[in-house]
Amino acid sequence: MLEIKDLHVSVGGKEILKGLNLSIGAGEVHAIMGPNGSGKSTLSYTLAGRVGYDVTGGSIIYKGEDLTALPTDARAAKGIFLAMQYPVEIPGVTTINFFKTALNSQRRARGESDLDAVSVLRLVRGKAAALKVPEEMLKRALNVGFSGGEKKRLEILQMALFEPSLAILDETDSGLDIDALKLVADGVNALRAPDRAMLVITHYQRLLNYIVPDRVHVLSAGRIIKDGGKELAHELEAKGYEQIIKDAA
Amino acid sequence: MSAIRETADQVATLGEKYKYGFVTDIEMEVTPKGLNEDVVRLISGKKNEPEWMLEWRLGAFRRWKEMTEPSWARVHYPKIDYQNSSYYAAPKANPKLESLDEVDPKLLETYAKLGIPLHEQKLLAGVAVDAVFDSVSVATTFKKKLGEAGVIFCPISEAIREHPELVKKYLGSVVPVSDNFFATLNSAVFSDGSFVYVPKGVRCPMELSTYFRINASETGQFERTLIIAEEGAYVSYLEGCTAPMRDENQLHAAVVELVALDGAEIKYSTVQNWYPGNEEGVGGIFNFVTKRGDCRGRDSKISWTQVETGSAITWKYPSCILRGDNSVGEFYSIAIANNYQQADTGTKMIHLGRNTRSRIVSKGISAGHAQNTYRGLVSVHPKAENARNHTQCDSLLIGKSCGAHTVPYIESRNPSARIEHEATTSKIAEDQLFYCTSRGINQEEAVALIVNGFCKEVLQQLPMEFAVEAQKLVGISLEGSVG
Ligand SMILES: Nc1ncnc2c1ncn2[C@@H]1O[C@H](COP(=O)(O)OP(=O)(O)OP(=O)(O)O)[C@@H](O)[C@H]1O
Ligand SMILES: [Mg+2]
């Protein structure tokens, strides 16, 4: 599904990712853990194609296609979804209108017909109920005045709505209360499918009790320095990054 | 269902840059270039006007000759040669038609291209359309229904002939003949426009709309509109316009006068989309407009809503004179300037009566090399006890080469007045664009979506069908502004 080879990425002229390798097969869930500033969000923005994240070397192959030249919206239409660490507020644009615009943009890019307002509302309602997102929230301006946890839940609601092939979750668990964490994990697990891959970025092993990963990677200073199974997360929790990084060196 | 929700669809269906750039190939009757008393007489004669009207025009013309063009606005343009323009154009076949079937099919085609569905959709939507094609009105619908309610809605040229007592009483009573250079010019040579009279206690049974088109090359367009709402009457008037693409600059100097008597309410909405010139700043309409409403009666209300996306230069300050006690003036504005457009627009709220209230919401969007100026006056006169004003003035910048300027003038001569002014300036944030595009929305659609969100308070003031059109225009007029 996703094949990243020797990826170098610079932001503002500074190299952040320094030869990152990562391979995720269809149907797999991978977790990335790593200290603050190690480049986790940089990786997720690069996968989504954010302007300013310059790929200076290496390749990103998604479903056999090199992504590096593809603009952000085209990647979304091809099934790449990023649940952001810091979702953005858009004043004056209602959440439901935003969902409809996004959904139909993706559909159009894939040559599918638009969904009308009623169909979108029906679709969103069903998914929102499962995530306990109240209907009133859908009528408010996107993310404006939403609590941290509400914003994260809205990200997962969008994931459920767009049904991406590759979902990247950047610290979706931070800011969630325990009940919400379970809801979100259930939402993610419900989407696990043989033709779908997920990359879960987190600081806490707790999330991985609910979303059990196939592989865990440790990112440090722009490189993956250690890979393992789900037990690696426990090891990290016990030893801390410093020790693991030392051991790997 | 909220019109805002439809933004995405609306914006997405628009591909072309300025899709209204075409010229209808209809034979025009045009006066020779130049302006003198004979031209004024000729215009008056074409309209079969009574003697008093001709005298009124000539009086205006004589004053105009003594006046000089104002230069205080933050706009720059080459000197206009008023003698190198023609002041009257009419389609040659000047028809008096009973039904639309008799209208020149070419005209109907033009309307169709403009998306003005005179034939069916307006009928279905219940909107009476007084379609002004250049200077002569050729089709008026819904006259009967309005007639039953006692509402007069007709071309002003007809009103001059059929309702002289009303025209004499109110024409120039809000914008005096010698008010300003452009208004005086208009008074001398106005071609046509709309006249609305809503009698006492009548709520006008439908939204009134007029579509203006400028279609004759090098012909100034001088619309004149007069709307009178008698005691307790209500009317909502919609004005919308698009013009064909042209290289020459075209002067447009309209005058709109509104009169609201005791307890009356007038809602005047405009979507303005005249040709703004090309990406290099060549061509485009010069729009110098005088719009003023007089809340003459107590408890009256006048509300201006405008969406200005077109014209090379806009000079426009729809104003309210709050003369009656407890009267209310409102001004909701979206002004978009892209490429080399220059907009200097705002409002004047003149508080004369007691307990008068005014509210100003201005949303200015600048992109490309455009300059966008909000210029607003709030004036409280000594007798205006307890006057209230709230002004909200927000600017949004797209790109680095554009400018936004806010010039508020506040004059308070009554200590009980309360005047509040809030202003913000912001940019479309890169993270907002990234968020939208990461969900599959393309860049231009994302800009349109964000800008429509920014303008929401004003868009909500528009009648439904105009809100949809306005949202489209926001998208079109900002195409290519980011990237
Ligand atoms: N525009 C920029 N210019 C220079 N450095 C930048 C820029 N943007 C990000 N960085 C740096 O890149 C590094 C990686 O940032 P990134 O956000 O990817 O870290 P992260 O692993 O997601 O951290 P966290 O766990 O705190 O979310 C940080 O040191 C950050 O300061
Ligand atoms: Mg991060």
Side-chain angles (χ1 to χ4, degrees), chain B residues 170-469:
Chain B
Y170 291 107
L171 189 72
S173 75
V174 186
V175 179
V177 166
S178 55
D179 189 79
N180 70 73
F181 184 83
F182 299 111
T184 307
L185 177 62
N186 174 288
S187 300
V189 300
F190 73 84
S191 37
D192 215 332
S194 294
F195 176 82
V196 179
Y197 175 81
V198 188
K200 192 170 165 177
V202 171
R203 202 181 157 84
C204 186
M206 61 190 68
E207 310 262 8
L208 303 180
S209 92
T210 302
Y211 287 87
F212 299 94
R213 295 266 293 144
I214 299 176
N215 198 43
S217 165
E218 285 181 86
T219 305
Q221 178 98 356
F222 301 93
E223 296 291 339
R224 187 90 197 188
T225 298
L226 177 59
I227 299 176
I228 301 138
E230 285 276 11
E231 226 171 280
Y234 169 84
V235 63
S236 166
Y237 184 89
L238 328 179
E239 169 203 347
C241 22
T242 51
M245 194 174 287
R246 281 289 186 181
D247 246 355
E248 309 93 309
N249 288 305
Q250 293 181 303
L251 174 65
H252 184 99
V255 172
V256 176
E257 295 179 279
L258 312 181
V259 181
L261 299 175
D262 286 2
E265 180 177 348
I266 301 175
K267 191 172 161 60
Y268 192 104
S269 314
T270 307
V271 172
Q272 189 268 113
N273 181 29
W274 283 329
Y275 181 52
N278 68 12
E279 275 113 8
E280 279 79 51
V282 176
I285 304 287
F286 292 0
N287 190 24
F288 302 111
V289 180
T290 305
K291 288 185 165 172
R292 196 172 302 156
D294 189 355
C295 285
R296 206 163 282 183
R298 46 183 305 129
D299 303 309
S300 58
K301 179 175 175 184
I302 288 179
S303 179
W304 298 100
T305 305
Q306 61 173 28
V307 179
E308 301 281 327
T309 71
S311 296
I313 297 175
T314 302
W315 181 98
K316 182 178 173 187
Y317 316 90
S319 309
C320 296
I321 299 166
L322 303 169
R323 197 184 305 276
D325 290 348
N326 313 320
S327 60
V328 177
E330 291 176 340
F331 174 73
Y332 297 96
S333 167
I334 298 169
I336 299 180
N338 195 2
N339 297 320
Y340 286 88
Q341 280 177 273
Q342 305 173 59
D344 194 304
T345 180
T347 185
K348 291 181 213 164
M349 293 291 175
I350 314 291
H351 292 258
L352 302 178
R354 282 174 299 160
N355 304 315
T356 47
R357 280 171 293 145
S358 61
R359 178 171 156 79
I360 298 169
V361 179
S362 161
K363 304 277 181 178
I365 298 117
S366 320
H369 298 273
Q371 295 298 325
N372 207 333
T373 301
Y374 168 82
R375 189 183 299 277
L377 167 69
V378 177
S379 173
V380 178
H381 285 234
K383 286 188 183 138
E385 280 297 316
N386 288 317
R388 296 279 176 272
N389 163 266
H390 184 87
T391 299
Q392 173 76 44
C393 194
D394 299 320
S395 304
L396 186 69
L397 301 174
I398 304 175
K400 295 187 189 74
S401 316
C402 55
H405 317 275
T406 302
V407 192
Y409 304 90
I410 296 168
E411 303 168 357
S412 180
R413 284 185 278 148
N414 185 311
S416 67
R418 213 167 66 211
I419 299 170
E420 295 161 349
H421 182 96
E422 287 175 54
T424 67
T425 300
S426 53
K427 281 178 177 269
I428 288 197
E430 186 275 333
D431 63 351
Q432 289 178 321
L433 282 176
F434 171 61
Y435 191 86
C436 293
T437 52
S438 83
R439 303 297 139 100
I441 301 168
N442 73 43
Q443 184 108 326
E444 294 199 327
E445 236 183 289
V447 171
L449 191 69
I450 294 166
V451 174
N452 272 316
F454 171 77
C455 299
K456 187 177 189 172
E457 267 173 287
V458 176
L459 290 169
Q460 279 173 332
Q461 296 297 326
L462 290 169
M464 176 68 177
E465 63 267 46
F466 256 32
V468 170
E469 189 170 322

Side-chain angles (χ1 to χ4, degrees), chain A residues 124-133 157 183:
Chain A
V124 173
R125 263 191 196 140
K127 315 243 179 203
L131 284 162
K132 297 221 166 90
V133 172
L157 174 55
L183 276 175

Side-chain angles (χ1 to χ4, degrees), chain A residues 45 48 50 72-73 76 81-82 84 88-94 97-98 100-102 105-106 108 142-143 155 158 162, chain B residues 1 4-9 12-13 430-432 434-443 445 449-450 452-454 456:
Chain A
Y45 291 147
R50 186 168 188 167
T72 309
D73 54 320
F81 176 82
L82 167 61
M84 292 193 200
V88 178
E89 302 186 356
I90 306 193
V93 177
T94 60
N97 180 33
F98 182 83
K100 181 173 167 237
T101 307
S105 292
Q106 293 187 23
R108 238 172 272 147
L142 184 72
N143 289 326
E155 293 291 285
Q158 288 176 72
F162 303 146
Chain B
M1 186 177 59
I4 311 299
R5 246 191 256 159
E6 299 300 307
T7 310
D9 300 351
T13 54
E430 186 275 333
D431 63 351
Q432 289 178 321
F434 171 61
Y435 191 86
C436 293
T437 52
S438 83
R439 303 297 139 100
I441 301 168
N442 73 43
Q443 184 108 326
E445 236 183 289
L449 191 69
I450 294 166
N452 272 316
F454 171 77
K456 187 177 189 172

Side-chain angles (χ1 to χ4, degrees), chain A residues 11-14 16 34-43 45 53 85-86 170-171 201 203 219:
Chain A
V11 185
K14 184 182 163 203
I16 309 292
N36 294 134
S38 55
K40 302 180 299 295
S41 292
T42 302
L43 173 63
Y45 291 147
Y53 288 73
Q85 185 175 359
Y86 305 108
D170 191 357
E171 293 195 33
I201 296 169
H203 282 295
L219 181 65

Side-chain angles (χ1 to χ4, degrees), chain A:
Chain A
M1 177 76 73
L2 182 70
E3 198 75 45
I4 303 175
K5 283 210 180 100
D6 192 31
L7 183 65
H8 291 257
V9 173
S10 292
V11 185
K14 184 182 163 203
E15 182 163 85
I16 309 292
L17 299 185
K18 303 165 180 167
L20 183 142
N21 293 292
L22 182 65
S23 169
I24 306 177
E28 295 176 359
V29 173
H30 289 220
I32 287 191
M33 305 180 81
N36 294 134
S38 55
K40 302 180 299 295
S41 292
T42 302
L43 173 63
S44 63
Y45 291 147
T46 305
L47 290 174
R50 186 168 188 167
V51 175
Y53 288 73
D54 302 322
V55 176
T56 54
S59 61
I60 306 168
I61 309 295
Y62 165 73
K63 291 184 175 174
E65 183 187 0
D66 193 330
L67 280 186
T68 42
L70 214 59
T72 309
D73 54 320
R75 294 187 198 198
K78 285 185 187 292
I80 296 179
F81 176 82
L82 167 61
M84 292 193 200
Q85 185 175 359
Y86 305 108
V88 178
E89 302 186 356
I90 306 193
V93 177
T94 60
T95 301
I96 187 74
N97 180 33
F98 182 83
F99 286 3
K100 181 173 167 237
T101 307
L103 197 60
N104 282 333
S105 292
Q106 293 187 23
R107 290 176 64 89
R108 238 172 272 147
R110 291 192 294 260
E112 298 162 17
S113 64
D114 277 20
L115 293 178
D116 61 26
V118 178
S119 316
V120 171
L121 192 62
R122 201 174 298 140
L123 194 65
V124 173
R125 263 191 196 140
K127 315 243 179 203
L131 284 162
K132 297 221 166 90
V133 172
E135 188 144 349
E136 168 267 335
M137 234 163 90
L138 301 173
K139 291 177 190 150
R140 282 163 58 188
L142 184 72
N143 289 326
V144 177
F146 289 15
S147 76
E150 287 169 342
K151 288 181 184 172
K152 294 301 179 71
R153 254 184 284 173
L154 216 63
E155 293 291 285
I156 297 307
L157 174 55
Q158 288 176 72
M159 178 178 81
L161 201 59
F162 303 146
E163 303 182 319
S165 302
L166 172 66
I168 305 145
L169 277 56
D170 191 357
E171 293 195 33
T172 302
D173 52 336
S174 51
L176 289 179
D177 65 39
I178 298 164
D179 294 1
L181 185 70
K182 282 185 192 149
L183 276 175
V184 163
D186 288 347
V188 172
N189 287 327
L191 279 177
R192 286 179 92 142
D195 57 352
R196 185 170 288 139
M198 294 190 196
L199 183 60
V200 179
I201 296 169
T202 181
H203 282 295
Y204 307 106
Q205 115 83 19
R206 191 186 53 180
L207 176 70
L208 304 180
N209 289 335
Y210 299 109
I211 304 171
V212 181
D214 299 297
R215 302 289 295 165
V216 176
H217 312 274
V218 179
L219 181 65
S220 169
R223 276 192 206 95
I224 302 281
I225 54 146
K226 195 174 165 86
D227 308 273
K230 58 176 187 266
E231 65 293 340
L232 178 55
H234 293 278
E235 196 187 332
L236 266 172
E237 190 98 330
K239 290 189 184 168
Y241 286 120
E242 216 173 317
Q243 190 59 45
I244 295 273
I245 293 166
K246 255 190 213 147
D247 291 352

